[in-house]
Amino acid sequence: FSEIPDVVDMGTLADMVDPQPSHRTPPEVADGIPYIGIGDIDYEHNKINFSDSRKVAIAVLSEHHVRYTVRNGDFIMGKIGTIGKPFQLPLPQNYALSANVILIQPKQQLIIPEFLFWQFASPLVVFLLIITLDCLLRYCYDIIVCGIFFCKKVLNIQIGE
């Protein structure tokens, strides 16, 4: 990671991600496609338990594809219940993401996705998410950008310190 700067300004970091969470939980259907959340992830074996996940209509996946497409290096984090715990998403995207996760899509021309993933796995970022989460969930759809704004403006913290 020699090309990574020692300090990344929080405002700059906010420009490096494109969070695309869904905010509605669709109804469950019998033979649908997996609708995954943090509870469906087996962190010990680094895999998603698709077979036991909630199933939703295939139309949900089509609607999600209009809003986002999972790319190599994208990851999710929990925003309700389990906060943080990033997990890198597998390809191809034959699943939809739960409304209870945040999709982080690193802008690869600006930052190395693996570096950003490990930054979000750090105790500092998890701490900042926890202390701002309640307020942000009430007033903001874009929790990551708002959290970064909060850290920059209120706490004056820089990722990478």
Side-chain angles (χ1 to χ4, degrees):
F1 294 130
S2 61
E3 64 274 3
I4 298 172
D6 291 334
V7 176
V8 177
D9 177 70
M10 292 301 284
T12 303
L13 185 60
D15 294 332
M16 293 181 187
V17 298
D18 184 16
Q20 297 289 328
S22 173
H23 298 286
R24 295 180 187 92
T25 301
E28 192 167 4
V29 299
D31 293 318
I33 57 108
Y35 184 73
I36 64 160
I38 295 298
D40 300 310
I41 297 172
D42 179 348
Y43 285 92
E44 183 178 333
H45 296 101
N46 196 36
K47 67 178 189 169
I48 299 172
N49 186 350
F50 290 109
S51 60
D52 290 340
S53 68
R54 176 187 186 98
K55 304 300 185 284
V56 297
I58 190 71
V60 173
L61 180 59
S62 299
E63 184 262 326
H64 280 231
H65 276 155
V66 170
R67 289 185 284 121
Y68 66 90
T69 301
V70 173
R71 302 177 309 236
N72 190 33
D74 290 356
F75 59 95
I76 57 172
M77 291 180 62
K79 69 176 183 178
I80 296 174
T82 300
I83 299 169
K85 294 196 79 166
F87 185 82
Q88 292 181 319
L89 293 170
L91 295 175
Q93 181 189 350
N94 50 7
Y95 52 88
L97 297 176
S98 166
N100 296 331
V101 300
I102 303 164
L103 171 61
I104 307 296
Q105 295 189 296
K107 294 182 180 177
Q108 297 187 17
Q109 68 276 21
L110 300 175
I111 192 162
I112 299 168
E114 292 79 14
F115 173 75
L116 190 62
F117 174 82
W118 289 110
Q119 287 291 299
F120 275 83
S122 75
L124 172 63
V125 171
V126 172
F127 170 74
L128 293 173
L129 284 172
I130 290 170
I131 64 171
T132 61
L133 187 61
D134 186 50
C135 176
L136 293 174
L137 284 176
R138 290 184 190 163
Y139 302 108
C140 183
Y141 290 108
D142 191 348
I143 189 170
I144 294 298
V145 173
C146 289
I148 289 170
F149 175 82
F150 176 85
C151 297
K152 181 179 180 185
K153 297 296 183 186
V154 178
L155 300 177
N156 195 26
I157 294 175
Q158 297 179 332
I159 294 284
E161 286 187 324

